[in-house]
Amino acid sequence: MKVSVFGAAAVLAAASSQVLAQSTCNQWAPCFREGYCDANAMFCLWGLCDPIKSFNSTACWQPEACATQTVNFDSIADAIPIKAYSGNPATNAFLSVFEPNHASVANGNLALQMTYDPAQKKGFGATVSASHTIQYGRTTARVKTASIAPGVVSAFIIRNDQTGDEIDFEWVGKSPNEVQTNFYFNNVLDYTKMVPYNVGGNTAAEYHDYTIDWSPEALVWLVDGKVIRTVNRKDTFNPATNTYAYPTSKSRIAFSIWDGGNSGAQGTQEWSGYPTPWGANTMYQMLVDSVQISCGGDATHPPTTPPVTPPVTPPSSVYPTAVPSSPVSPPQKCITRPKYY
């Protein structure tokens, strides 16, 4: 069958704006995340937004291409609350994705803090995610961890929440001189692949450079420029599934701090140390001095204009009953998977 260019374009345009049958959202709050609909970056950002349950196939924002850059956190614009994000990654390199916001730029550092939440009976921390995506490349973060006490977990990860691919550095408070490396594929949480490394000093007392070098052929972790671990893709082949258990998905760089010691999960608590000590004024803080990103295969020029977002104050009659008329922010969720054994 012969199809004219005009006809094909019309078909594509119709498909790109198709209203999805599974959606409970509408044109005023088109983006679905964790049971709620809204129109801001907290709900529409690629990786957070559920494209199946959103209003239509164009509701979720498209992934942003990687940008080779160095972020020194010398401007408050380098990391902002996600609700304040307009959609232009060239303006804001990192986004704090939880509310209340426990991340800020101060004294040339990105500071991620955790304080006690009496309602949850555990610490409420922070996750800061890059506004750009990355698919292969080299990322170096200069970090002073928060892991000064049992249960306090600090993390530097590259992750795709939709596919479950992840590459990480993690630090736990019961082992302050140690950093742990791991990787996951397709949401298979294989903790047996974790490898610890003794940094040679207290990671919460001094800065170190932590590097993830990710290519289609190999994963390499470095500390202060020294290679501490290499995983070759060819060695991850699983004959039972005929797949390579190797992360390949477009992802986001992120940093987080969370309470593993009071998580309520025995495996997580034993891994991180427990209980996490809390007093009336206790606060734990992870500091990131700088992030250097060198892109791999997906690097392009970043967009210069933010995505178009519909008005967010519609008549109340347009809301279907399944969508709150005052959309609610989703609860805090650790960006790394809890350690259940």
Side-chain angles (χ1 to χ4, degrees):
M1 181 177 68
K2 188 175 182 179
V3 180
S4 69
V5 173
F6 176 81
V11 170
L12 289 172
S16 68
S17 60
Q18 179 182 6
V19 176
L20 302 177
Q22 298 183 44
S23 177
T24 56
C25 302
N26 59 38
Q27 68 268 35
W28 302 102
C31 302
F32 183 95
R33 179 188 174 195
E34 298 180 26
Y36 298 97
C37 300
D38 208 330
N40 61 51
M42 181 177 282
F43 292 78
C44 297
L45 194 72
W46 180 87
L48 300 178
C49 182
D50 186 333
I52 302 301
K53 296 182 180 180
S54 293
F55 174 64
N56 61 26
S57 53
T58 59
C60 297
W61 296 356
Q62 292 300 303
E64 311 81 353
C66 184
T68 294
Q69 60 181 319
T70 298
V71 183
N72 290 314
F73 301 108
D74 51 9
S75 167
I76 60 172
D78 288 338
I80 63 170
I82 192 169
K83 274 196 170 181
Y85 181 54
S86 66
N88 185 354
T91 303
N92 310 109
F94 286 89
L95 310 172
S96 177
V97 302
F98 290 152
E99 288 189 330
N101 173 34
H102 284 181
S104 62
V105 174
N107 301 317
N109 284 277
L110 169 64
L112 293 86
Q113 299 177 341
M114 180 168 66
T115 58
Y116 188 68
D117 181 352
Q120 299 294 323
K121 297 182 179 180
K122 61 181 179 180
F124 188 98
T127 291
V128 175
S129 178
S131 58
H132 287 279
T133 58
I134 187 170
Q135 189 173 26
Y136 307 124
R138 184 182 178 101
T139 305
T140 298
R142 187 164 179 78
V143 174
K144 183 187 290 186
T145 78
S147 300
I148 61 174
V152 181
V153 183
S154 307
F156 159 31
I157 73 174
I158 299 174
R159 178 173 171 83
N160 182 315
D161 275 338
Q162 296 173 341
T163 67
D165 283 2
E166 178 176 326
I167 311 159
D168 66 40
F169 279 108
E170 289 187 297
W171 303 264
V172 295
K174 77 172 187 179
S175 304
N177 290 6
E178 184 179 277
V179 63
Q180 301 177 4
T181 63
N182 210 340
F183 68 101
Y184 306 102
F185 166 75
N186 201 29
N187 243 359
V188 177
L189 305 180
D190 184 357
Y191 304 122
T192 64
K193 295 184 297 185
M194 185 275 287
V195 175
Y197 174 77
N198 192 314
V199 176
N202 189 331
T203 63
E206 53 195 20
Y207 289 96
H208 292 276
D209 292 329
Y210 301 91
T211 300
I212 296 172
D213 195 340
W214 176 30
S215 74
E217 295 78 30
L219 282 170
V220 182
W221 290 260
L222 303 92
V223 174
D224 294 330
K226 177 184 177 181
V227 174
I228 65 167
R229 184 183 184 184
T230 300
V231 172
N232 295 305
R233 177 181 178 272
K234 63 182 178 63
D235 296 329
T236 67
F237 184 72
N238 183 344
T241 59
N242 197 35
T243 57
Y244 291 92
Y246 185 84
T248 60
S249 304
K250 188 184 296 287
S251 302
R252 291 189 191 277
I253 300 161
F255 302 94
S256 66
I257 176 175
W258 54 284
D259 187 347
N262 293 347
S263 65
Q266 182 178 353
T268 304
Q269 293 179 164
E270 291 175 354
W271 166 72
S272 64
Y274 69 97
T276 307
W278 289 103
N281 300 309
T282 303
M283 186 269 289
Y284 298 103
Q285 179 172 257
M286 174 185 184
L287 297 176
V288 183
D289 178 68
S290 63
V291 182
Q292 297 178 351
I293 303 167
S294 179
C295 300
D298 71 330
T300 62
H301 295 292
T304 56
T305 57
V308 176
T309 303
V312 294
T313 313
S316 58
S317 61
V318 304
Y319 282 102
T321 56
V323 181
S325 57
S326 298
V328 181
S329 300
Q332 181 191 27
K333 181 175 68 174
C334 292
I335 197 162
T336 49
R337 299 282 181 175
K339 307 297 177 183
Y340 296 112
Y341 295 99

